Amino acid sequence: MGLFSPPRQSLPFEMFDVQHTDREARRAKRMENIYHLGQDKIWDGRDVLAGLIERHGRPKLAARERQALSQIFSVIMWGELAAWKISAQLTDLIVPLGAKLAATSQAHDEARHFYVMHDYLEALGETPPALDRWSKHVLTMTLRTKSLAKKLLGMQLTIETIALTIFQRVRELDVEPVLTELLPFYERDEARHVGLGIQMLPELIAKMSYAERVELAVFHLELYGSAVLSLKSLEPALESIGVDPRSILAIGFRKQSDIDTMFREEFPSWPLDPPEKRVFAGLCELLFPTGGTSARVGKRERVHAAIDVMRRRRPGVLEVEASKRASRRADNLSRAAVDGA
Ligand SMILES: [Fe+2]
Ligand SMILES: [Fe+2]
């Protein structure tokens, strides 16, 4: 790990000494491209937001929806500040040039995401409420860890994925026109940020001892568990703007499976169904039962279902909702094909 953790007050003059295999060289190039692509696709947050408000007018919503949107997007806003701080930490912590460039470009993007979200919430006219304890826990765990692997897993692969998932669902439902057109700018940037984690983490894990891998899995589980508890605490706000939290789980599950597939391309022995993933699936089933809202499913029944899901004896809410969503999409596509004919 020496290559990735230089003494903080010195310059890493050894940064070009590494011998690259073909695969490593390809990864380094991809990470470098994250920086250059970031520069090509850069957008001016002030112009974009002002242009959208000019086109659609200031965001206008009924009080209940406005409060709900402000609660959800204040989590995003503080998440952007955490992302800004964490990517700045990574910029300093990482030695290899390509990855260092990628983290630097991310820090610049996150600064823009933070101030634009702040300005949007101000235009919405609500004072953002305090952060719920679980969202705060996800962000501080990732901010505080000294491990590069944990930081990448927390930031690039978990927080980014959660944000992308919420952006996608709120955009699909067209809750508020300024936000609907603003979110694709965020989504393009965040998708690039996930790339740094995908390129870097497998190599770090490959070099870890068994004990270090177990520690990382425990960190991952705590992070995911806290994220799903924070989704539970946002449930009333999400429902007020017409978002079923299960649809968030479905999109998140799909995105996570895509990340796992990309990981397996880089790192063929990446586990298919590790224990932390099973425990997480059980927790999701417990909090968001497949059969309906928690009120309609009894406690005992829920616990049994969660255990069965953990033992992979039945599909849980993650798989069920993801496949429902996939078949709805297929329906839409075939309808589009018929309409187009
Ligand atoms: Fe961001
Ligand atoms: Fe990001």
Side-chain angles (χ1 to χ4, degrees):
M1 299 275 287
L3 184 64
F4 299 108
S5 47
R8 301 291 299 274
Q9 311 306 337
S10 66
L11 284 174
F13 293 112
E14 75 287 7
M15 72 191 288
F16 298 115
D17 295 350
V18 218
Q19 292 295 318
H20 282 314
T21 62
D22 278 0
R23 187 174 271 247
E24 282 164 356
R26 254 199 322 274
R27 273 195 215 126
K29 195 80 209 150
R30 281 193 209 127
M31 288 189 274
E32 194 182 316
N33 280 340
I34 293 176
Y35 173 90
H36 295 300
L37 213 61
Q39 186 162 321
D40 290 345
K41 307 261 179 207
I42 205 150
W43 49 286
D44 185 319
R46 295 164 305 182
D47 289 353
V48 168
L49 186 62
L52 290 174
I53 290 180
E54 204 178 291
R55 190 166 342 139
H56 299 288
R58 285 180 91 77
K60 265 195 267 353
L61 286 172
R64 187 157 166 254
E65 286 179 320
R66 199 173 61 229
Q67 282 156 9
L69 205 61
S70 150
Q71 189 187 346
I72 298 161
F73 279 83
S74 72
V75 176
I76 296 288
M77 185 190 83
W78 294 118
E80 298 294 356
L81 180 61
W84 182 4
K85 284 171 80 81
I86 293 164
S87 49
Q89 293 173 339
L90 289 172
T91 299
D92 189 32
L93 204 62
I94 293 171
V95 174
L97 180 62
K100 201 177 192 63
L101 283 169
T104 308
S105 139
Q106 183 182 345
H108 192 239
D109 290 338
E110 306 295 10
R112 179 171 60 253
H113 293 175
F114 177 65
Y115 84 75
V116 174
M117 192 49 71
H118 170 266
D119 293 354
Y120 173 77
L121 290 173
E122 206 170 61
L124 191 66
E126 277 289 323
T127 313
L131 212 52
D132 67 278
R133 65 179 280 222
W134 293 110
S135 305
K136 202 189 280 173
H137 189 58
V138 170
L139 300 178
T140 44
M141 264 180 88
T142 310
L143 259 171
R144 284 186 189 155
T145 177
K146 290 196 166 60
S147 147
L148 178 60
K150 286 181 188 166
K151 244 182 227 309
L152 288 166
L153 186 65
M155 183 65 242
Q156 271 68 18
L157 300 172
T158 308
I159 300 175
E160 297 281 5
T161 319
I162 296 170
L164 272 168
T165 303
I166 295 176
F167 293 160
Q168 183 178 332
R169 196 63 195 129
V170 171
R171 173 174 50 78
E172 283 173 353
L173 289 168
D174 195 7
V175 176
E176 193 286 307
V178 173
L179 189 61
T180 302
E181 287 187 35
L182 181 62
L183 290 177
F185 289 91
Y186 278 68
E187 287 175 84
R188 270 197 298 275
D189 293 346
E190 310 296 14
R192 248 189 346 265
H193 304 161
V194 176
L196 176 62
I198 290 173
Q199 298 304 321
M200 247 191 138
L201 193 61
E203 199 185 332
L204 291 175
I205 294 178
K207 288 177 187 154
M208 279 182 178
S209 67
Y210 181 71
E212 284 171 325
R213 286 187 200 196
V214 171
E215 215 189 293
L216 186 69
V218 171
F219 176 86
H220 198 188
L221 183 59
E222 188 180 341
L223 202 68
Y224 260 54
S226 309
V228 81
L229 283 163
S230 108
L231 185 68
K232 189 73 193 167
S233 70
L234 283 176
E235 191 174 24
L238 288 164
E239 283 172 349
S240 303
I241 55 162
V243 176
D244 179 355
R246 287 174 181 75
S247 67
I248 300 275
L249 289 177
I251 300 171
F253 177 72
R254 187 68 259 154
K255 288 192 193 298
Q256 196 55 52
S257 310
D258 290 347
I259 289 176
D260 284 346
T261 309
M262 286 187 257
F263 264 170
R264 252 185 299 280
E265 281 163 17
E266 297 293 326
F267 188 41
S269 61
W270 189 256
L272 266 171
D273 195 23
E276 70 271 21
K277 205 168 158 182
R278 288 168 172 239
V279 176
F280 175 68
L283 182 65
C284 288
E285 187 60 35
L286 195 65
L287 293 171
F288 300 97
T290 314
T293 57
S294 26
R296 270 186 276 142
V297 184
K299 243 187 209 158
R300 270 177 76 93
E301 208 182 319
R302 254 195 289 163
V303 172
H304 280 297
I307 293 171
D308 280 351
V309 167
M310 238 185 284
R311 297 170 88 178
R312 297 300 191 210
R313 288 191 170 163
R314 51 167 280 190
V317 63
L318 294 173
E319 292 89 349
V320 171
E321 290 297 319
S323 73
K324 265 200 234 164
R325 193 178 150 87
S327 67
R328 265 199 309 271
R329 285 179 84 95
D331 271 3
N332 289 343
L333 286 178
S334 52
R335 211 171 300 131
V338 171
D339 290 349

